[in-house]
Amino acid sequence: MTMSINGGMEVKKVFIGAGCNRVVNNVSWGACDLVAFGAQNAVAIFSPKTAQILTTLPGHKASVNCTQWLPSNKFAFKAKELEKHYLLSGDADGAIILWEFSLLERKWRYVLQAPQSHKKGVTCITGIMVTETEAIVASTSSDGKVHVWEVLFPSTTGGDCKLQCLETLFVGSKPMVALSLAELPGNTGHIVLAMGGLDNKIHLYCGERTGKFLRACELKGHTDWIRSLDFSLPICANGEPNSILLVSSSQDKGIRIWKMALRSSPCSTQGAYRKQEMSLASYIEGPVLVAGSSSYQISLESLLIGHEDWVYSVEWQPPSTESVEGIGYYQPQSILSASMDKTMMIWQPEKNSGIWMNVVTVGELSHCALGFYGGHWSPSGDSILAHGYGGSFHLWKNVGVDLDNWKPQKVPSGHFAGVTDIVWARSGEYILSVSQDQTTRIYASWKNEASLRDGDSWHEIARPQVHGHDINCVTIVQGKGNHRFVSGADEKVARVFEATLSFLKTLNHATSQNISLPEDLQADVQVLGANMSALGLSQKPIYVQATHDSPDRNGNDGLDTLETIPDAVPAVLTEPPIEDQLAWHTLWPESHKLYGHGNELFSLCCDHEGKLVASSCKAQSATAAEIWLWQVGSWKAVGQLQSHSLTVTQMEFSHDDSMLLAVSRDRQFSVFTIKRTGTDEISYQLLARQEAHKRIIWSCSWNPYGHEFATGSRDKTVKIWAVDKGSSVKLLLTLPQFNSSVTALSWVGLGHQKNDGFLAVGMESGLIELWSLSVKRADDGSGSAAGVAAAVVVKLDPFMCHVSAVNRLAWKGPKKSENCKNIQLASCGADNCVRVFEVNVDYVEN
C-alpha cells in the first residue's frame, strides 16, 4: 500500500509483523488464496506465497475472534471468475463486520456491520455460497444464540451488499461453539445447519433459503465438548448427488464422520424408523433427518482415533474442478485435523478396505509449541496451515511428485500481545521489538534473489529473549563492539544481552553483505548461542569450544536434573527461519543483570556514544521515580537522578549526549545536564523541570540536530520546547489539538544546515501523522532557537496504521553523509503489530 502526497512526498508500507489471536476459528483461508486472521482488534491479511502480511483492516473495537471468507477455500472451484471476494469477521463484543476485497485493484473496503449483533463474543462464523450473488451465513456466540443470515452481493459494479437476519435460534445455557452449513443433496432447496458445543451433542437444523430453521434431530456419540464441524459437498452415485458427509471433532480426542444419505422412500419418518427391529445396524445408524418431502438416513461412517489431546479443528479437503459424472467438481475423501497434541493429521480411506487411516502427520516437536488451535487447507489442497498457542503460524507444502512429501514453508510471524517498545540497530540493519507476550524479536529485510526481483522481504530472523515476565522496554547499546541490548520487564532487574556468533553470521546472510566478519569481532565473540533455563528467566551461553564436547546438561548435578528442556542447537541460517528454529535456537545469552530499582522496569535509553544507559521503573513516590544511570561495560550504577514523583514514562539523550530529557506521569518534564568528568565519573545536574501538560506525558523526542525537543500527552497536545542558552527551557510552539491522546513521538532531521525535520506523531487511536518542523535560529549567533514553523505533511491512511494505541515510533535516522531521499519509520502498538514505513522525501541537502 502506498500513499502519495502533494509536494513530492510518498509513504508506503514496507512490513507488518503480527501474531495470531490465540482462539479457535480465528483463521480462514479464502478462495482468493489469501489468509485472514485476527491480530488483537485488527483483521490481518497475509499471502502464503510471499509469507508477508499485506494489510490490516480497522473497524473492530474488541479482539477479533473469528474470520470467514465468502467464498471460502471450499468454493474455490466456483470462484474462478469472481472479481470481488468478501470476508466476515466477528469480535469479542459481539460485532460482525463485512469487508469487500477487489481482486483487480487489490483494495479493501469496509462494507457494513451486521445490524442485530450478539450480546457477547462471537465464537464461530460459517458460510456457504448458494449462488454467485447469494450466501447463507450462520454465527454463534456465548450469549446462547445462533443467528442465520442471508448475504446478497451486488450483481453489478457499484451495487450495495445487503445482509439480513433470517432466523435467530436460542440454544439455552450451553452455548454452541462450532457450526457448519450445507445444501442438502437432491435439489430440494433445503439447507442443513449443524451446531455443536458444550452439551457434547451435534444438533441438526433444517430450513429453506428464505428463513425458518426447524430442529431436525441430534447426533450423540462424543463424550466431551464439540469443537469443530464441517460438511463435505454432496457425494455422487450414478451421476446424482445422493449423500453428504459431516465430520466432527471433540475434546474427547476423537473425530467422527457422519453420513447423511437421501432415502428413496420419502414417506419414512423418524417415528416409523424407531419401531424397526433392533439390530447391530441400528447402533451405527442414527436418526432420520426430514427436510420437506425428502428424508435422509444418518449413520456413523467412521470413528478416527489417533490424536492424544483435544482436536480443535477438522476440515474437508477443498473440492477440485475436475468434473465427475456430470457435476462440476470432485470432493476428495480427505480430512485435515489439528490438535493440542502439537500435530496435524490428514485422514483418507484405505483403497481396498475403505477404512479411514491417518496417512500424513506433521507437527512442531519442540517443547515450545503448546499445540494447535486450528488447521486449514489451501484452495488447491497442496498446502496445510496451522495456527498455534504461541500466536504462530506453521505451513507445510506437499512438494512430492509421485509420493507425498510435506515440507515446512516460510510464514509471517510476530508478537501475540501488545508490543511495548521498538528500536533500530546501530546501523539500521534490523529492528528489535519487545512485548507483553514475554519475547524479544528481531526483524530484518532478507536480501536474496527473490527480494531483488520482488522488492525487500522482511522476516523475523531471531528471538533473542524468551522470558517469564511481560517485557516493557528495550534499548540497543550504541558505539563499537558486539551487538548488545538491555531489556526491562515486569521485574526489578534490567538484563543485558549480547549477540551470538551464529546471529552475526545469519545477519551477514540476511543483509547479503557477503563480507567476512571483522576478525577481532569473531575472536571476541566466543558464544555460539544460548540455552533457556527451567524457569524461563535467565539464558545461559553455549560457548564455541564447548560445542565439540556436547555436555549432558541433564546429568546428575543437583538441581539441573529438574530441567527437561532440550539443548538449543544454534546454527547459521541461510534463509529466513521457521517458528521451530526461532522459538528455541536463536536465543542470545544474558551477560549482566542490573539491580537497583524497587519496582518493575518501565523505560530505558542509551546515549549515542554507547557509554551510558538510563533506566526508570513504575513509581508512586519520588524515591521510586529515580532515574538510574549505568556505565556500559562495567555495568556499575553511576548516578541516581531525582526529579519526578511518579513513573518516568520515556527518556532520551540529546544528540551531543550533553543532556538527558525525561517525561513523567506527574505531567512534568525534566532536563538534566550530563558531564563526564573522568574515565568512570559522571556529574549530573537538574537544568529544568516544568509542568508541561494537563495530563500524563507519554512521550518525548529531541531534535537530532539541536537542543529543541517535543513532548506528547494524554491531553491530546504536542508541544515544542527549546533549551535556551543552556540554562532554561522555553516553549516555542503548541501544535493544534489532535483527535486522540498522543502516545508516541519521534523527530528525524533532514539536514543540519536547514534545521528541517519531520516529527512522527502516534496516537491512542492507532493513527499516525507526519509533521514538518523547521527551526528558526536566533540572529545573535548563539545558535539558540527563536521559533519553529510546523505543518502537517501527511495523515496516514487508517488501513496503513495501527488499530489500537501506538506505543513507540522510531526513525531509522539518515546517515549525515546521505541525501535524504528515503527514510524508514518503525512503529509498534497495542494491536500486536510491528510496522515499517518508507517515507520518500523529495529533498536533497545542499
Side-chain angles (χ1 to χ4, degrees):
M1 184 182 277
T2 305
M3 286 185 70
S4 293
I5 293 94
N6 298 334
M9 185 174 177
E10 187 182 67
V11 180
K12 69 175 183 183
K13 174 200 75 74
V14 175
F15 169 69
I16 302 171
C20 182
N21 287 345
R22 302 189 297 164
V23 286
V24 186
N25 302 324
N26 187 24
V27 176
S28 177
W29 199 329
C32 56
D33 207 18
L34 296 178
V35 174
F37 67 95
Q40 207 245 6
N41 296 357
V43 180
I45 310 294
F46 89 79
S47 164
K49 285 192 173 67
T50 60
Q52 297 290 299
I53 296 175
L54 306 178
T55 189
T56 54
L57 310 180
H60 286 285
K61 302 284 188 292
S63 182
V64 175
N65 282 347
C66 45
T67 59
Q68 173 68 35
W69 280 96
L70 295 172
S72 64
N73 51 3
K74 188 186 288 190
F75 295 95
F77 70 95
K78 280 187 182 178
K80 296 277 192 285
E81 308 301 319
L82 291 182
E83 287 179 13
K84 289 187 164 62
H85 287 241
Y86 295 86
L87 177 69
L88 285 161
S89 54
D91 69 27
D93 278 352
I96 296 173
I97 294 178
L98 178 67
W99 311 86
E100 178 189 87
F101 175 60
S102 167
L103 274 180
L104 294 173
E105 299 170 355
R106 310 298 287 178
K107 277 192 178 163
W108 283 90
R109 183 171 76 88
Y110 173 102
V111 180
L112 55 83
Q113 182 170 330
Q116 292 166 273
S117 62
H118 289 282
K119 299 288 185 289
K120 291 184 180 175
V122 183
T123 50
C124 181
I125 301 175
T126 187
I128 55 167
M129 300 295 291
V130 183
T131 66
E132 277 196 8
T133 57
E134 184 186 359
I136 302 290
V137 171
S139 63
T140 182
S141 157
S142 40
D143 64 7
K145 289 180 191 168
V146 175
H147 290 315
V148 182
W149 312 85
E150 179 186 47
V151 191
L152 297 173
F153 304 119
S155 48
T156 55
T157 49
D160 280 340
C161 290
K162 292 187 177 63
L163 186 145
Q164 68 172 29
C165 187
L166 296 178
E167 178 77 290
T168 297
L169 303 167
F170 297 89
V171 297
S173 60
K174 294 192 172 177
M176 297 293 120
V177 294
L179 301 173
S180 187
L181 283 162
E183 289 186 275
L184 284 167
N187 297 320
T188 60
H190 279 75
I191 286 167
V192 61
L193 166 64
M195 57 176 84
L198 280 59
D199 65 356
N200 310 349
K201 300 173 195 165
I202 299 166
H203 302 271
L204 296 178
Y205 285 75
C206 207
E208 297 182 40
R209 279 192 210 171
T210 51
K212 213 63 193 152
F213 275 71
L214 298 171
R215 190 186 187 113
C217 57
E218 57 187 41
L219 307 178
K220 297 176 183 174
H222 286 295
T223 57
D224 206 335
W225 291 10
I226 287 158
R227 295 312 304 229
S228 181
L229 295 164
D230 192 33
F231 277 112
S232 70
L233 288 191
I235 312 289
C236 293
N238 308 321
E240 285 293 319
N242 72 342
S243 64
I244 192 166
L245 296 173
L246 170 67
V247 61
S248 61
S249 73
S250 163
Q251 289 179 187
D252 64 10
K253 309 175 191 176
I255 299 165
R256 287 169 181 258
I257 303 172
W258 311 83
K259 185 175 185 177
M260 298 169 60
L262 182 62
R263 292 177 67 161
S264 51
S265 54
C267 58
S268 299
T269 64
Q270 193 168 344
Y273 166 72
R274 289 275 178 223
K275 292 175 186 165
Q276 288 180 4
E277 190 181 332
M278 292 292 281
S279 68
L280 182 61
S282 66
Y283 283 101
I284 299 169
E285 285 187 345
V288 171
L289 179 136
V290 179
S293 58
S294 305
S295 63
Y296 299 83
Q297 175 65 60
I298 302 175
S299 56
L300 180 64
E301 178 83 354
S302 189
L303 174 61
L304 313 182
I305 302 291
H307 283 295
E308 295 170 5
D309 209 332
W310 298 356
V311 185
Y312 267 137
S313 87
V314 278
E315 188 177 283
W316 287 97
Q317 184 176 333
S320 59
T321 46
E322 302 162 31
S323 185
V324 179
E325 299 176 347
I327 60 168
Y329 63 86
Y330 164 66
Q331 170 69 65
Q333 296 289 287
S334 182
I335 291 169
L336 174 70
S337 62
S339 165
M340 277 306 264
D341 67 5
K342 309 178 193 177
T343 64
M344 281 205 300
M345 293 182 179
I346 297 175
W347 306 81
Q348 291 169 359
E350 211 247 323
K351 282 192 175 64
N352 300 325
S353 65
I355 295 170
W356 284 77
M357 309 283 284
N358 165 22
V359 292
V360 174
T361 302
V362 294
E364 294 296 310
L365 300 175
S366 74
H367 80 290
C368 317
L370 288 170
F372 295 143
Y373 279 131
H376 302 273
W377 292 96
S378 66
S380 57
D382 66 349
S383 299
I384 51 177
L385 175 77
H387 66 106
Y389 181 82
S392 55
F393 285 108
H394 310 261
L395 178 67
W396 289 268
K397 185 170 184 176
N398 187 2
V399 296
V401 182
D402 298 323
L403 296 167
D404 279 4
N405 184 13
W406 295 86
K407 290 282 187 218
Q409 305 294 306
K410 288 197 289 284
V411 283
S413 65
H415 295 285
F416 58 85
V419 189
T420 46
D421 204 352
I422 194 167
V423 61
W424 285 93
R426 294 173 305 197
S427 306
E429 60 270 64
Y430 60 83
I431 51 178
L432 187 138
S433 63
V434 296
S435 162
Q436 290 160 346
D437 71 2
Q438 308 188 345
T439 65
T440 300
R441 302 179 191 233
I442 288 177
Y443 301 94
S445 165
W446 197 284
K447 294 177 169 58
N448 54 20
E449 291 76 20
S451 70
L452 294 172
R453 185 181 66 245
D454 306 326
D456 278 5
S457 163
W458 282 67
H459 299 275
E460 185 181 345
I461 64 163
R463 206 168 293 168
Q465 185 184 7
V466 178
H467 201 40
H469 295 289
D470 296 5
I471 309 175
N472 299 323
C473 49
V474 69
T475 187
I476 281 190
V477 177
Q478 304 296 322
K480 294 190 170 67
N482 194 8
H483 298 258
R484 285 176 292 185
F485 73 86
V486 186
S487 73
D490 274 344
E491 54 179 347
K492 300 173 185 179
V493 53
R495 297 170 188 270
V496 186
F497 294 84
E498 284 204 29
T500 61
L501 192 58
S502 57
F503 171 79
L504 296 173
K505 292 181 175 177
T506 297
L507 189 62
N508 224 21
H509 281 290
T511 51
S512 264
Q513 290 168 337
N514 294 327
I515 52 168
S516 58
L517 292 165
E519 286 297 323
D520 58 336
L521 190 53
Q522 281 205 50
D524 285 349
V525 181
Q526 291 297 310
V527 176
L528 191 62
N531 274 317
M532 176 61 73
S533 74
L535 293 175
L537 293 175
S538 289
Q539 289 165 197
K540 303 165 184 176
I542 301 171
Y543 293 98
V544 175
Q545 64 272 23
T547 53
H548 308 301
D549 309 338
S550 61
D552 178 15
R553 282 207 308 151
N554 297 336
N556 295 321
D557 45 359
L559 289 174
D560 277 356
T561 53
L562 294 171
E563 297 192 8
T564 56
I565 299 171
D567 279 342
V569 185
V572 179
L573 303 166
T574 53
E575 58 181 31
I578 59 171
E579 178 67 21
D580 207 22
Q581 295 164 305
L582 283 169
W584 194 233
H585 304 304
T586 59
L587 293 169
W588 291 14
E590 187 183 299
S591 61
H592 293 85
K593 292 182 180 71
L594 310 183
Y595 293 100
H597 287 290
N599 293 324
E600 298 92 335
L601 269 287
F602 197 83
S603 174
L604 285 160
C605 73
C606 180
D607 67 357
H608 297 81
E609 265 189 84
K611 300 281 177 64
L612 285 177
V613 166
S615 64
S616 74
C617 73
K618 293 178 185 176
Q620 290 186 323
S621 67
T623 315
E626 287 178 344
I627 296 167
W628 284 57
L629 295 179
W630 309 87
Q631 186 178 53
V632 172
S634 70
W635 297 108
K636 287 192 306 193
V638 290
Q640 286 159 256
L641 282 55
Q642 294 181 338
S643 174
H644 293 284
S645 56
L646 293 172
T647 307
V648 171
T649 52
Q650 195 179 355
M651 302 171 290
E652 194 173 288
F653 284 92
S654 61
H655 69 97
D656 57 3
D657 290 339
S658 65
M659 297 181 202
L660 174 66
L661 167 66
V663 294
S664 165
R665 281 180 176 272
D666 63 13
R667 308 173 186 182
Q668 299 181 329
F669 68 72
S670 300
V671 178
F672 298 90
T673 55
I674 307 285
K675 288 183 183 154
R676 292 166 177 77
T677 52
T679 49
D680 287 354
E681 290 177 23
I682 302 287
S683 74
Y684 46 87
Q685 190 176 350
L686 179 63
L687 175 77
R689 178 175 69 224
Q690 196 165 325
E691 182 154 333
H693 291 269
K694 296 188 179 74
R695 305 291 298 277
I696 291 171
I697 308 177
W698 281 125
S699 53
C700 61
S701 187
W702 282 101
N703 175 1
Y705 293 119
H707 286 159
E708 298 79 38
F709 61 88
T711 57
S713 161
R714 184 180 275 173
D715 66 10
K716 304 182 183 178
T717 61
V718 171
K719 296 184 180 181
I720 314 295
W721 310 79
V723 178
D724 196 21
K725 298 176 184 171
S727 59
S728 62
V729 173
K730 65 178 180 183
L731 176 65
L732 294 180
L733 179 71
T734 301
L735 298 188
Q737 191 163 19
F738 291 87
N739 293 327
S740 180
S741 300
V742 176
T743 51
L745 293 173
S746 186
W747 191 333
V748 66
L750 292 181
H752 198 214
Q753 306 300 317
K754 293 198 173 183
N755 299 305
D756 288 347
F758 284 130
L759 181 69
V761 180
M763 288 168 267
E764 195 172 29
S765 60
L767 299 180
I768 297 170
E769 296 184 9
L770 301 186
W771 287 68
S772 67
L773 296 180
S774 184
V775 179
K776 298 180 183 71
R777 298 285 171 207
D779 297 332
D780 58 7
S782 65
S784 60
V788 61
V792 62
V793 185
V794 52
K795 296 181 179 184
L796 268 64
D797 185 319
F799 279 80
M800 293 175 78
C801 294
H802 295 271
V803 301
S804 296
V806 181
N807 284 334
R808 191 74 81 230
L809 291 164
W811 289 99
K812 177 184 173 181
K815 298 183 179 68
K816 289 185 182 172
S817 58
E818 290 179 343
N819 290 334
C820 304
K821 284 280 191 178
N822 298 334
I823 39 179
Q824 287 187 326
L825 172 67
S827 68
C828 67
D831 61 356
N832 308 359
C833 290
V834 169
R835 296 168 191 265
V836 179
F837 307 96
E838 188 158 282
V839 181
N840 299 90
V841 189
D842 203 5
Y843 170 86
V844 182
E845 188 177 343
N846 295 326

